[in-house]
CSV table of all heavy atoms in Angstrom, one decimal:
chain,number,residue,atom,x,y,z
A,68,PHE,N,-5.8,5.3,-5.5
A,68,PHE,CA,-6.7,5.8,-6.6
A,68,PHE,C,-8.0,5.0,-6.6
A,68,PHE,O,-8.0,3.9,-6.0
A,68,PHE,CB,-6.0,5.6,-7.9
A,68,PHE,CG,-5.6,4.2,-8.4
A,68,PHE,CD1,-6.5,3.5,-9.1
A,68,PHE,CD2,-4.4,3.7,-8.0
A,68,PHE,CE1,-6.2,2.2,-9.5
A,68,PHE,CE2,-4.1,2.4,-8.4
A,68,PHE,CZ,-5.0,1.6,-9.2
A,114,ASN,N,21.8,21.3,-16.4
A,114,ASN,CA,21.9,21.2,-17.9
A,114,ASN,C,21.7,19.8,-18.4
A,114,ASN,O,22.3,19.4,-19.5
A,114,ASN,CB,23.2,21.7,-18.4
A,114,ASN,CG,23.4,23.2,-18.2
A,114,ASN,OD1,22.4,24.0,-18.4
A,114,ASN,ND2,24.5,23.7,-17.7
A,138,ARG,N,-2.1,7.6,-14.9
A,138,ARG,CA,-3.5,7.7,-14.3
A,138,ARG,C,-3.8,9.1,-14.0
A,138,ARG,O,-4.9,9.6,-14.1
A,138,ARG,CB,-3.6,6.8,-13.0
A,138,ARG,CG,-3.7,5.4,-13.2
A,138,ARG,CD,-4.1,4.7,-11.9
A,138,ARG,NE,-3.1,4.8,-10.9
A,138,ARG,CZ,-2.1,3.9,-10.7
A,138,ARG,NH1,-2.0,2.9,-11.5
A,138,ARG,NH2,-1.3,4.1,-9.7
A,163,GLY,N,28.9,-7.2,-3.2
A,163,GLY,CA,28.5,-8.6,-3.0
A,163,GLY,C,27.2,-8.8,-2.2
A,163,GLY,O,26.9,-9.9,-1.7
A,166,ILE,N,20.6,-7.1,-1.0
A,166,ILE,CA,19.5,-6.6,-0.1
A,166,ILE,C,20.0,-5.2,0.4
A,166,ILE,O,21.1,-5.0,0.8
A,166,ILE,CB,19.3,-7.6,1.1
A,166,ILE,CG1,18.8,-8.9,0.6
A,166,ILE,CG2,18.4,-7.0,2.2
A,166,ILE,CD1,18.8,-10.0,1.7
A,184,HIS,N,11.3,0.0,5.1
A,184,HIS,CA,10.0,-0.1,4.4
A,184,HIS,C,9.1,1.1,4.6
A,184,HIS,O,7.9,1.0,4.5
A,184,HIS,CB,9.3,-1.4,4.9
A,184,HIS,CG,10.1,-2.6,4.8
A,184,HIS,ND1,10.8,-3.0,3.6
A,184,HIS,CD2,10.5,-3.5,5.7
A,184,HIS,CE1,11.5,-4.1,3.8
A,184,HIS,NE2,11.3,-4.4,5.1
Side-chain angles (χ1 to χ4, degrees):
F68 64 91
N114 294 317
R138 281 193 299 267
I166 296 172
H184 310 306

